[in-house]
Amino acid sequence: GAVVSQHPSRVICKSGTSVKIECRSLDFQATTMFWYRQFPKQSLMLMATSNEGSKATYEQGVEKDKFLINHASLTLSTLTVTSAHPEDSSFYICSSHPPGPSGTEAFFGQGTRLTVV
Amino acid sequence: GESVGLHLPTLSVQEGDNSIINCAYSNSASDYFIWYKQESGKGPQFIIDIRSNMDKRQGQRVTVLLNKTVKHLSLQIAATQPGDSAVYFCAENMVQGAQKLVFGQGTRLTINP
């Protein structure tokens, strides 16, 4: 199957600092990528849709100025958590759909565990 | 189904037994459904999918059943193995839509040796 890679897998940062998470499609071009957040023992909640060459689309209740998304190339989307606070600690996961007949099948990155102290 | 932030339902089965995990979805317009397996600290892994023009689909040791009348989806895992222990999520989507997946609550499956 297609490969989506996320980096870093774990990050610890101090309150007030910003953290950037990268999501790469390794073997296909991704015009769209999705960013999810998952709190412990809960399901994945879609945060935003990252669109190559245009603005991201945010889900209701997600602050676009806090979660900055950049999708500057067909293989890379980044999520920057700005002015992080302990309540932003979570598991962040990206996904994308390769083009083709099975274009609806999503492949996920390994996830990034963010801990804000 | 929308996640409502509750603790995950759990299911324990003996190794070698069959397991059935259930999911209720919310959008009657959804026409594509997927089951994902998530191990601790990792991203979801695709297991099997089904489109709304089908009511059953089989893979290797897994079967997905879809009942559109009651908006219900199930995942059957045959001859369970210790490696099947994980959290399982159903997800719904529309083939012609924005490809945004809506995840169900999830079920933690534990395989007892």
Side-chain angles (χ1 to χ4, degrees):
Chain A
V3 179
V4 174
S5 178
Q6 241 177 286
H7 178 80
S9 58
R10 289 178 176 269
V11 59
I12 301 173
C13 71
K14 293 183 177 180
S15 288
T17 61
S18 295
V19 173
K20 180 185 286 187
I21 303 169
E22 294 185 347
C23 181
R24 294 181 186 273
S25 56
L26 299 186
D27 52 2
F28 65 95
Q29 293 185 329
T31 55
T32 304
M33 289 184 173
F34 300 90
W35 287 97
Y36 295 82
R37 178 168 52 184
Q38 185 179 31
F39 291 108
K41 297 186 178 181
Q42 293 188 21
S43 190
L44 286 77
M45 295 296 291
L46 180 65
M47 299 175 65
T49 303
S50 173
N51 304 299
E52 188 269 334
S54 65
K55 291 183 179 180
T57 305
Y58 290 82
E59 296 300 302
Q60 190 173 10
V62 178
E63 300 175 56
K64 62 179 182 180
D65 294 329
K66 181 167 185 62
F67 299 99
L68 300 179
I69 291 173
N70 184 283
H71 194 152
S73 79
L74 286 171
T75 59
L76 174 64
S77 173
T78 61
L79 169 68
T80 301
V81 183
T82 63
S83 186
H85 292 283
E87 56 265 32
D88 298 323
S89 298
S90 188
F91 194 54
Y92 292 86
I93 311 170
C94 69
S95 78
S96 190
H97 301 253
S102 61
T104 50
E105 179 181 339
F107 291 89
F108 287 82
Q110 309 94 314
T112 298
R113 173 76 60 194
L114 170 62
T115 303
V116 184
V117 298
Chain B
E2 295 285 344
S3 169
V4 295
L6 301 175
H7 288 294
L8 290 173
T10 58
L11 175 65
S12 293
V13 300
Q14 289 297 119
E15 181 179 354
D17 287 352
N18 300 333
S19 68
I20 299 176
I21 300 170
N22 296 303
C23 176
Y25 64 92
S26 56
N27 188 350
S28 57
S30 295
D31 56 9
Y32 180 62
F33 306 89
I34 315 104
W35 280 100
Y36 286 95
K37 173 186 180 182
Q38 186 180 29
E39 296 175 330
S40 181
K42 297 183 179 180
Q45 178 185 359
F46 173 89
I47 300 175
I48 192 168
D49 59 1
I50 189 168
R51 299 206 174 190
S52 59
N53 59 353
M54 302 172 69
D55 53 21
K56 180 179 180 180
R57 190 164 187 229
Q58 289 185 289
Q60 187 176 13
R61 286 200 305 120
V62 294
T63 301
V64 55
L65 298 177
L66 174 63
N67 186 330
K68 296 181 288 295
T69 303
V70 296
K71 293 191 287 187
H72 184 268
L73 198 65
S74 69
L75 176 70
Q76 300 176 1
I77 305 175
T80 52
Q81 303 168 356
D84 295 330
S85 294
V87 177
Y88 290 81
F89 293 98
C90 67
E92 61 184 296
N93 194 8
M94 288 188 285
V95 173
Q96 297 301 323
Q99 297 189 337
K100 296 195 300 185
L101 294 176
V102 175
F103 282 82
Q105 185 179 13
T107 297
R108 179 175 297 283
L109 176 64
T110 301
I111 307 303
N112 301 313

